[in-house]
Amino acid sequence: MDHSLPDPDSHSLLLGHIARHIDLTAEEQADLIATLHSRKIKKKQYLTQEGDIAKGPVFVTKGILRSYSLDKNGFEHVIQFAPPGWWIGDMGSFVKQQPGILYCDALEDSEVLWLWKSDLEQLYHRIPKLERFFRILAENAIAGYQARLVSILSLPAVERYAAFCRQYPTLIDCLPQKQVASYIGVTPEFLSKMLHS
C-alpha cells in the first residue's frame, strides 16, 4: 500500500470536478487539499472488502476501480466502475459506519484521494458549501442508482448495454467483456453473442 504524495494533477482533477458545482476560494481549496489522503492501488488490489467499514468518500485520479458484491455461489455482480474523475465507495457503510457489503478493487494500477469521515465533518464546519457539494453528489448517485435498478428490472440486455455505453463512454474499449457482462447482468458468452449478432 503506497501512501506517497499525489501528483499535483490529482488535486487539479478534484478541484475541477468540485468547481462544476460550487466555488471554493484559494484558501478553501488549500484547506481541502491539506486534509486529503492519497493512495496508490495496484491492479487487482483491494481498496476495501466486504466487512470493512468505509473510511470516507474516495475520488479516483488515475486508473479504474470497481465496486461489486459476491453472491453465495461466488459470482460477481458489478455495481459501479470509477474511472478518473469519479467517486466510489460503499455508501451504506460510510453513512452508518458499519461493516460494508461491497468489495472495491483496482482493474488497473490506480491512484485515489479520500477524506476520513471525521475530517469531512470538520470540513463541513469550516467550508459549509462542501456539504452542499456532497449533497449534490449524493442526489445524483441516488438518481443514477434508481435509473440503473429500473434498467436491470425492465430493460432487455441490448438496452442495458446501450445505457452502460452512455454512462461509461471512455470504458467501452478498455474493460474486459466479463466486467461489462457482470455490470449489465448477463453472462460473458451472452454478451459476446449479442455484440456479434
Side-chain angles (χ1 to χ4, degrees):
M1 188 183 314
D2 186 346
H3 292 277
S4 59
L5 291 174
D7 183 323
D9 289 342
S10 298
H11 293 151
S12 298
L13 182 63
L14 175 61
L15 292 174
H17 174 73
I18 291 172
R20 293 200 305 261
H21 303 286
I22 61 169
D23 292 321
L24 294 177
T25 66
E27 294 79 15
E28 290 167 338
Q29 290 179 13
D31 188 5
L32 172 62
I33 287 169
T35 310
L36 293 170
H37 300 273
S38 65
R39 180 173 168 190
K40 292 183 179 179
I41 308 163
K42 299 238 179 256
K43 181 178 180 176
K44 296 186 179 179
Q45 183 181 10
Y46 289 105
L47 176 67
T48 58
Q49 297 185 60
E50 180 181 21
D52 292 348
I53 296 176
K55 296 175 178 70
V58 176
F59 184 77
V60 179
T61 59
K62 180 181 176 187
I64 304 169
L65 272 67
R66 67 171 176 153
S67 63
Y68 63 97
S69 65
L70 282 177
D71 66 23
K72 63 182 180 181
N73 297 315
F75 291 110
E76 295 177 358
H77 303 277
V78 176
I79 306 299
Q80 179 192 357
F81 295 108
W86 284 59
W87 296 86
I88 194 166
D90 188 323
M91 191 58 133
S93 174
F94 170 65
V95 170
K96 297 178 181 178
Q97 285 297 282
Q98 64 187 27
I101 59 172
L102 299 177
Y103 293 84
C104 183
D105 65 5
L107 294 176
E108 56 187 49
D109 289 351
S110 302
E111 296 178 13
V112 299
L113 298 172
W114 87 91
L115 293 159
W116 295 105
K117 184 175 175 63
S118 57
D119 289 340
L120 185 58
E121 294 295 336
Q122 291 174 21
L123 277 172
Y124 287 161
H125 289 290
R126 296 196 306 269
I127 312 171
K129 55 190 143 182
L130 273 178
E131 195 160 15
R132 177 173 182 269
F133 169 73
F134 280 103
R135 177 181 55 80
I136 291 168
L137 276 189
E139 289 171 350
N140 288 339
I142 290 168
Y145 283 126
Q146 186 177 51
R148 172 121 191 268
L149 181 59
V150 170
S151 168
I152 288 171
L153 293 173
S154 62
L155 295 181
V158 67
E159 291 181 37
R160 294 197 305 269
Y161 179 75
F164 165 82
C165 293
R166 286 191 301 275
Q167 183 166 10
Y168 297 109
T170 61
L171 301 184
I172 296 165
D173 296 325
C174 63
L175 283 177
Q177 279 193 2
K178 176 184 175 186
Q179 298 297 330
V180 177
S182 175
Y183 181 86
I184 66 171
V186 299
T187 65
E189 295 78 15
F190 182 91
L191 177 61
S192 180
K193 184 176 178 183
M194 184 181 80
L195 293 177
H196 292 98
S197 62

